[in-house]
Amino acid sequence: CDGCWMRVCEGNVQEKRYVREETTDTLECISDELFVENQLAYITNSMGLHKVGNPSSSTSAVTLHLYSPPFKSCKIWLNPSKAS
């Protein structure tokens, strides 16, 4: 996809961005940002991989994502120590 816009509609959201280390097959965190209610975020494939989550265990968070153009498939990863 060419880009993803994310708006935080409620609460706070933490976004971590990663790049893949080819030699070790791991993901290295290059950015860790907190986005607050009504804030916008943007990412493209060339900016790295990202993980978005609610940093609070007691407060809800709601986000709206717009992908342009829409994607047909995406890759997910569960463990940054094994990127493939």
Side-chain angles (χ1 to χ4, degrees), residues 14-74:
Q14 182 177 29
E15 180 199 50
K16 292 186 179 187
R17 291 187 186 183
Y18 298 86
V19 293
R20 183 175 178 205
E21 289 293 327
E22 298 288 333
T23 57
T24 60
D25 192 34
T26 60
L27 298 177
E28 176 187 343
C29 184
I30 57 170
S31 173
D32 187 349
E33 292 193 52
L34 184 69
F35 294 94
V36 299
E37 198 165 307
N38 296 318
Q39 196 169 6
L40 294 172
Y42 176 76
I43 191 167
T44 65
N45 289 342
S46 65
M47 295 167 71
L49 305 170
H50 75 146
K51 174 172 65 173
V52 177
N54 182 352
S56 173
S57 60
S58 60
T59 304
S60 299
V62 178
T63 58
L64 174 67
H65 300 253
L66 172 66
Y67 297 93
S68 177
F71 59 85
K72 294 180 181 179
S73 67
C74 68

